[in-house]
Amino acid sequence: MSDSSETVSAKDTEEVIMEATFRALSKHGYTDLRMRDIGEEMDLTRQVIHYHFDGKYDLMSSFLEYVIEQYEGSVQVDEETDPRSELDARIDQCLFGPEFEEFTHWDRMKVYHELYTYAQNDGEHREIFDDHYERIRGSIVEVVEDGIEQGQFRSVDAERMGQLITDVIHAARGRRISLGHEDAPEETRRAIDEFILDSLHS
Amino acid sequence: MSDSSETVSAKDTEEVIMEATFRALSKHGYTDLRMRDIGEEMDLTRQVIHYHFDGKYDLMSSFLEYVIEQYEGSVQVDEETDPRSELDARIDQCLFGPEFEEFTHWDRMKVYHELYTYAQNDGEHREIFDDHYERIRGSIVEVVEDGIEQGQFRSVDAERMGQLITDVIHAARGRRISLGHEDAPEETRRAIDEFILDSLHS
DNA sequence: CCAGTCTTTTACCGAGCGGTAAACTTTTAC
DNA sequence: GTAAAAGTTTACCGCTCGGTAAAAGACTGG
């Protein structure tokens, strides 16, 4: 009986809970999230959550890591190309999401952004997010540095430039999510091209 | 007895409640805010809130408008100067706050930002924020347009440029508040200068 | 000074929340 | 095959929350 579709292990259940938490969070928002809401999003009863996680706070902490892992795991950029192409690819991926999950991307980002804001009131969560942000920013900075070394970009402060790009991306996503500006990512993509990346060449 | 310090009108009480709400929100965050917390931040009992406001939701809606009014009321820019100076002044004010309330500025921004994020789950609140955001963005766009007309800036899409600047400001504030990056406003100020405004001239 | 109105306090409540205990079911180990 | 371990469900609970009713106080105009 090694039929994998029938064998439900503990890890599987935790994954089920994570996905149920994601759906519940999408529907109700962080502030109004009840354990009951999560239970209603899965076939198991809400009490199993207490078997696998040590209360609501522990659940949210685990979910936070789950969301970030998913985010970082979904980033896939062809590193064989030149710095400018890679930079473009990374920006596109941050603004529009990976192609293979176009439809869930903004649902995931909405939850991600809400968690991000709430993290300001919780030292542990804040640290997790800070580390994550640093990795995203670092990957952008790296590309800029490569571009400068290879002479494709003019010599600028790569840290500052990378930070600026990361911030702009973040703001555009936040604006789309919080204010419903659906064209924010596209408009921002153009603005980055015209006003920021343009000054990297010449 | 027209001694104004003794006469407590209904408006005064509502102001007291608003400020108590602000303090409670600063301490506990939106998600964990209880009516009790607000009561503890003022000399009156928490039940008076129900006399002046129709429940928690109505209180939060009123508070949202209160915060935005305060924000917009605090913006004061000398319009006699040239576009570039006015643009600089507006950016500084958004990033560092009005000089006369340097110490409460970031407390206020923290609450503002939290409300902003949670507005995504409430159509009414979202609209209030959207209108507000539009006014801030509009004021930046206007200055850019003036600069172009007066020949101080090169001819760019003012809407797009204004939006970009507004987004960058927003992101820097969010990063300082959510991740605790205290140098974010200053670093962002430099990045705007070096990479964005620079491309407005020449 | 007093009746009437506005405002605040005191005392209280029902609903709904997160969490637990114990029964029950399934899987594992030998 | 069976006993122990792991996982899940059922039933339940205590507590805290936002909100209310009525008493108490503080201002009005006459």
Side-chain angles (χ1 to χ4, degrees):
Chain A
M1 304 299 168
S2 61
D3 188 334
S4 63
S5 71
E6 292 296 324
T7 312
V8 176
S9 74
K11 281 291 161 212
D12 279 338
T13 298
E14 283 175 21
E15 177 99 18
V16 164
I17 294 172
M18 288 291 107
E19 281 303 305
T21 303
F22 165 68
R23 259 171 271 132
L25 222 31
S26 295
K27 280 188 191 169
H28 306 278
Y30 193 101
T31 304
D32 299 325
L33 181 72
R34 305 171 304 161
M35 295 298 271
R36 289 165 157 78
D37 296 323
I38 301 172
E40 283 167 17
E41 292 295 331
M42 54 186 191
D43 289 330
L44 303 164
T45 56
R46 69 181 171 85
Q47 280 82 352
V48 303
I49 301 170
H50 292 284
Y51 182 83
H52 293 274
F53 300 94
D54 188 18
K56 195 180 184 181
Y57 181 80
D58 180 47
L59 173 67
M60 293 318 293
S61 297
S62 300
F63 181 72
L64 184 57
E65 285 172 358
Y66 175 78
V67 165
I68 287 176
E69 267 172 38
Q70 259 200 178
Y71 182 109
E72 293 184 11
S74 73
V75 177
Q76 277 188 343
V77 174
D78 189 9
E79 298 204 23
E80 301 301 320
T81 57
D82 63 312
R84 173 61 201 248
S85 301
E86 190 188 328
L87 187 54
D88 279 334
R90 284 193 184 276
I91 293 169
D92 283 341
Q93 194 140 121
C94 287
L95 281 176
F96 307 108
E99 285 152 31
F100 58 87
E101 57 162 303
E102 272 179 65
F103 297 104
T104 59
H105 178 251
W106 288 107
D107 290 325
R108 304 222 168 251
M109 288 315 303
K110 191 202 139 183
V111 168
Y112 172 95
H113 245 78
E114 206 168 355
L115 254 38
Y116 172 81
T117 301
Y118 181 72
Q120 76 187 246
N121 297 311
D122 182 302
E124 195 185 315
H125 291 182
R126 180 197 274 226
E127 213 172 310
I128 293 172
F129 256 116
D130 198 18
D131 292 344
H132 161 66
Y133 197 99
E134 189 50 40
R135 286 190 291 273
I136 299 295
R137 179 182 148 280
S139 67
I140 302 273
V141 169
E142 228 172 80
V143 185
V144 175
E145 279 172 347
D146 285 353
I148 295 170
E149 277 173 25
Q150 296 180 25
Q152 195 174 16
F153 301 151
R154 64 177 244 263
S155 177
V156 296
D157 184 327
E159 292 279 333
R160 190 169 290 153
M161 175 57 84
Q163 182 71 74
L164 179 66
I165 294 172
T166 312
D167 276 349
V168 174
I169 289 167
H170 202 85
R173 284 197 308 219
R175 198 153 55 80
R176 193 203 136 118
I177 291 164
S178 289
L179 298 182
H181 294 179
E182 306 234 333
D183 62 342
E186 278 182 48
E187 277 296 314
T188 297
R189 190 65 186 84
R190 286 201 182 127
I192 292 176
D193 254 1
E194 289 179 26
F195 303 133
I196 300 180
L197 297 189
D198 205 55
S199 74
L200 264 182
H201 302 280
S202 79
Chain B
M1 306 301 165
S2 60
D3 188 332
S4 63
S5 71
E6 292 297 323
T7 314
V8 176
S9 72
K11 281 290 160 214
D12 279 338
T13 298
E14 284 174 21
E15 177 99 18
V16 164
I17 294 172
M18 289 289 105
E19 281 302 306
T21 303
F22 164 69
R23 259 171 272 131
L25 223 30
S26 295
K27 280 188 190 171
H28 305 278
Y30 190 98
T31 303
D32 299 324
L33 181 72
R34 304 172 304 163
M35 296 296 274
R36 288 165 157 80
D37 297 323
I38 301 172
E40 284 168 17
E41 292 295 332
M42 54 185 192
D43 290 329
L44 303 165
T45 55
R46 67 182 172 86
Q47 280 82 352
V48 302
I49 301 170
H50 292 284
Y51 182 83
H52 293 274
F53 300 95
D54 188 17
K56 194 180 185 182
Y57 182 81
D58 181 46
L59 173 67
M60 294 316 295
S61 298
S62 298
F63 181 72
L64 184 57
E65 285 172 358
Y66 175 79
V67 166
I68 287 177
E69 265 172 39
Q70 259 199 179
Y71 182 110
E72 293 185 12
S74 73
V75 177
Q76 278 188 342
V77 173
D78 189 9
E79 298 203 23
E80 301 301 319
T81 56
D82 63 311
R84 173 60 202 248
S85 301
E86 190 187 328
L87 187 54
D88 279 335
R90 284 194 184 277
I91 292 170
D92 283 341
Q93 195 140 120
C94 287
L95 281 176
F96 307 107
E99 285 152 31
F100 58 87
E101 57 161 304
E102 272 178 65
F103 297 105
T104 60
H105 178 251
W106 288 107
D107 290 324
R108 304 222 169 253
M109 288 314 302
K110 191 202 139 182
V111 168
Y112 172 94
H113 245 76
E114 206 167 356
L115 255 38
Y116 172 81
T117 300
Y118 288 111
Q120 75 186 251
N121 298 310
D122 183 303
E124 195 185 315
H125 291 182
R126 179 197 275 227
E127 211 172 312
I128 294 172
F129 256 116
D130 198 19
D131 291 345
H132 162 65
Y133 198 99
E134 188 50 40
R135 286 190 291 274
I136 300 295
R137 180 182 148 280
S139 69
I140 302 274
V141 169
E142 227 172 81
V143 185
V144 175
E145 279 171 347
D146 285 353
I148 294 171
E149 276 173 27
Q150 296 180 27
Q152 194 174 16
F153 299 151
R154 65 177 243 262
S155 178
V156 296
D157 184 327
E159 292 280 333
R160 189 168 291 155
M161 175 58 85
Q163 182 70 73
L164 179 67
I165 294 171
T166 313
D167 276 349
V168 174
I169 291 168
H170 202 85
R173 286 197 308 218
R175 198 153 56 81
R176 193 203 138 118
I177 293 165
S178 289
L179 298 182
H181 295 180
E182 306 234 334
D183 62 343
E186 277 182 48
E187 278 295 313
T188 297
R189 190 65 185 84
R190 285 200 183 128
I192 291 176
D193 254 2
E194 288 180 26
F195 303 132
I196 300 180
L197 297 188
D198 205 55
S199 73
L200 264 181
H201 302 282
S202 79

